[in-house]
């Protein structure tokens, strides 16, 4: 079986999955990530005509202010080669503006437009709804604990690697 088939193949369900697989955090996280990514990707596309990378760039600009393409790449984890395409899409929609950097005319500074701020608020609402769907089985206290634990794990592995 090739990797793509394995990733896209749905779990047969708890009753058909060997117990030793259901006890592996790595497998559970991987399967949840696949489902989460699909839910977010499809939800943003159908509900807001957006992509997760649009959200990442707009959120970065809102939270940290204007930046170069390279800075945005570092803030968001989007490869520099892909950032140009994302910024082209956002620029075409008038969600961001590009202007030459006065300190270095070879690079551009990206800023969030008023329309981009409004769109980001809409994306926050869509993502809130999608996360409610993703985390539906958990009550509010469990959701908060789950996010704290995920954050702690990610912070640990980000620092050590």
């Amino acid at each position: 079986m090739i990797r793509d088939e394995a990733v896209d193949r749905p779990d047969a369900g708890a009753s058909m999955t060997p117990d030793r697989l259901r006890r592996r955090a790595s497998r559970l996280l991987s399967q949840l990530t696949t489902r989460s990514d699909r839910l977010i990707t499809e939800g943003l596309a159908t509900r807001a005509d957006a992509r997760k990378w649009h959200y990442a760039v707009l959120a970065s600009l809102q939270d940290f202010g204007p930046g170069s393409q390279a800075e945005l790449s570092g803030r968001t984890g989007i490869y520099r080669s892909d950032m140009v395409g994302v910024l082209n899409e956002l620029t075409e929609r008038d969600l961001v503006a590009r202007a030459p950097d006065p300190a270095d005319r070879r690079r551009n500074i990206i800023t969030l437009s008023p329309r981009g701020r409004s769109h980001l608020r809409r994306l926050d609402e869509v993502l809130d709804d999608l996360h409610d769907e993703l985390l539906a089985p958990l009550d509010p206290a469990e959701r908060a604990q789950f996010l704290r634990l995920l954050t702690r794990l990610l912070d640990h592995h980000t620092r050590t690697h």
Side-chain angles (χ1 to χ4, degrees):
M1 182 179 307
I2 61 173
R3 185 173 190 275
D4 289 348
E5 290 174 359
V7 169
D8 289 335
R9 188 171 179 202
D11 191 344
S15 63
M16 299 300 295
T17 301
D19 215 27
R20 65 177 30 147
L21 291 178
R22 290 191 57 82
R23 289 191 315 254
R24 299 291 178 195
S26 59
R27 183 170 193 274
L28 295 171
L29 286 169
S30 177
Q31 293 215 328
L32 184 59
T33 297
T34 299
R35 285 160 176 76
S36 172
D37 193 52
R38 187 174 296 132
L39 176 72
I40 299 304
T41 298
E42 291 172 4
L44 284 172
T46 59
R47 299 179 193 185
D49 189 28
R51 298 188 304 135
K52 62 185 176 183
W53 298 124
H54 295 168
Y55 181 77
V57 169
L58 296 175
S60 174
L61 291 170
Q62 175 69 36
D63 290 356
F64 298 110
S68 69
Q69 291 175 191
E71 289 168 333
L72 287 172
S73 177
R75 292 180 195 171
T76 61
I78 300 171
Y79 290 114
R80 287 183 186 197
S81 57
D82 295 332
M83 181 60 74
V84 173
V86 173
L87 292 175
N88 286 343
E89 292 171 4
L90 294 172
T91 302
E92 288 170 8
R93 297 175 184 202
D94 193 32
L95 301 175
V96 301
R98 282 185 178 131
D101 183 347
D104 183 352
R105 307 292 282 172
R106 295 171 294 173
R107 70 179 190 173
N108 289 315
I109 295 296
I110 313 304
T111 57
L112 186 60
S113 72
R115 186 173 177 176
R117 279 185 182 75
S118 176
H119 189 62
L120 179 59
R121 284 191 296 275
R122 171 71 182 126
L123 295 179
D124 279 330
E125 292 170 2
V126 169
L127 284 169
D128 287 346
D129 290 344
L130 292 168
H131 284 107
D132 283 344
E133 188 177 332
L134 177 68
L135 301 174
L138 305 178
D139 66 36
E142 290 171 324
R143 289 178 186 198
Q145 180 183 20
F146 182 64
L147 291 174
R148 280 192 308 274
L149 292 171
L150 286 175
T151 301
R152 194 163 97 201
L153 284 167
L154 183 58
D155 287 350
H156 169 79
H157 289 287
T158 301
R159 279 192 305 269
T160 59
H161 293 100

